[in-house]
Amino acid sequence: MPGDLHTHSSCSDGSTPIEKLPWLAACAGLDWLAISDHDTNRSVRYAYAHPEQNGVKLIPAVELTAYDYGREHRVHILCYYPDDCEALARHTAVMDKRRYDAVYQSCKELEEICPQFKTEEALEFAKDSGTLYKAHVMRVLWQYGLSDGMYNTVYRSLFGLRPVRGKILHTPVYETVDTILNLIQECRGVAVLAHPSVYHSMPLARELIAAGRLDGVEIDHPRNTEEDKAELEQLAAEYGLIVTGGTDYHGMNANTPHPVGTCTTADEQIARIRALAEARKK
């Protein structure tokens, strides 16, 4: 059976405890699951400590955030089977601090304009994450009826980037794409470009693929466009890339929830990821 290679738990900005995700995957009839939380080694360590749970085999993974400074947009790169090493721990600790400082500043500014909001309640939602995410802020507002959802009108007014910058937006500094790909190489992981349509990353995808910097591309994803999927299929075939799929599950922290297993990766592609990771660790 296939696997869902892109899910998030409450160790990231998702709302589902990490230990519950294998059960959800089993309910969806999956054999494999990668919990690829954002910029944290918690999900990596959990998968290595629990190689199989509820009959589902777990793939250690992390979704790393980079920044394409030439085009001025974020880039997400999935890393499968990284070593639980000092380089990864150091990077995730730095990102934890940068993200916490940015969102904490947003929280304090929000308290000034919305007295009903309390930073302590956002921190309560963030306990599993070890840092603050904008999703934790929005959950506080949503539960009190102060927002129309997670990522709708209120979110855009507070945290939007374009066309109007949100009134309390503070963004952590992200490392360059090259830096993140070098980190994955140092961790001996498998690098897959995540959902290129989400951040309009197709020009970057073409460049990285031509330069041989990627092992694979995520194609089956809820927010990839049909046009981008078709081109990615073509590029993957031309360059012999691994093709993955993942639901990008965030629990309730989404405008359009997608259950675990909505988007999947074929068995033969999972076998390719495992074989490549094993070869790099010899």
Side-chain angles (χ1 to χ4, degrees), residues 27-203:
C27 291
L30 301 175
D31 284 342
W32 297 89
L33 180 71
I35 305 171
S36 49
D37 284 327
H38 287 289
D39 299 311
T40 177
N41 58 4
R42 294 173 183 84
S43 53
V44 172
R45 289 177 173 174
Y46 186 87
Y48 277 129
H50 304 83
E52 186 168 335
Q53 190 175 329
N54 296 102
V56 176
K57 293 177 276 293
L58 301 188
I59 295 174
V62 56
E63 185 174 9
L64 297 166
T65 309
Y67 201 81
D68 182 346
Y69 283 90
R71 299 179 180 88
E72 298 186 333
H73 61 68
R74 279 179 292 170
V75 180
H76 285 174
I77 303 173
L78 294 157
C79 175
Y80 298 110
Y81 290 105
D83 291 343
D84 181 11
C85 60
E86 176 58 30
L88 182 61
R90 186 170 56 247
H91 173 77
T92 56
V94 167
M95 287 310 305
D96 271 359
K97 179 68 165 56
R98 290 178 182 174
R99 184 172 276 113
Y100 181 91
D101 288 347
V103 181
Y104 188 82
Q105 186 174 352
S106 296
C107 286
K108 289 304 175 182
E109 292 177 12
L110 183 56
E111 285 183 338
E112 294 297 317
I113 60 177
C114 180
Q116 301 95 325
F117 173 82
K118 300 299 179 188
T119 301
E120 290 72 20
E121 293 187 74
L123 288 169
E124 185 67 22
F125 281 127
K127 282 193 304 184
D128 288 345
S129 300
T131 190
L132 271 171
Y133 286 87
K134 288 173 281 190
H136 300 135
V137 177
M138 294 309 302
R139 283 190 64 182
V140 175
L141 295 175
W142 193 8
Q143 75 174 357
Y144 291 124
L146 298 170
S147 172
D148 53 348
M150 283 297 294
Y151 299 116
N152 295 329
T153 308
V154 173
Y155 178 87
R156 289 191 293 272
S157 72
L158 297 175
F159 295 112
L161 185 59
R162 297 182 181 92
V164 178
R165 187 175 179 87
K167 62 186 71 172
I168 63 168
L169 175 63
H170 296 281
T171 304
V173 175
Y174 297 115
E175 299 299 326
T176 66
V177 174
D178 276 345
T179 299
I180 294 303
L181 288 172
N182 290 341
L183 171 64
I184 294 173
Q185 186 175 31
E186 186 174 355
C187 296
R188 300 189 295 180
V190 177
V192 173
L193 182 64
H195 47 58
S197 297
V198 173
Y199 294 119
H200 310 289
S201 295
M202 285 305 297

Side-chain angles (χ1 to χ4, degrees), residues 77 177-178 181 193 203-214:
I77 303 173
V177 174
D178 276 345
L181 288 172
L193 182 64
L204 176 67
R206 297 180 197 111
E207 290 177 6
L208 294 177
I209 291 168
R213 301 290 330 257
L214 295 174

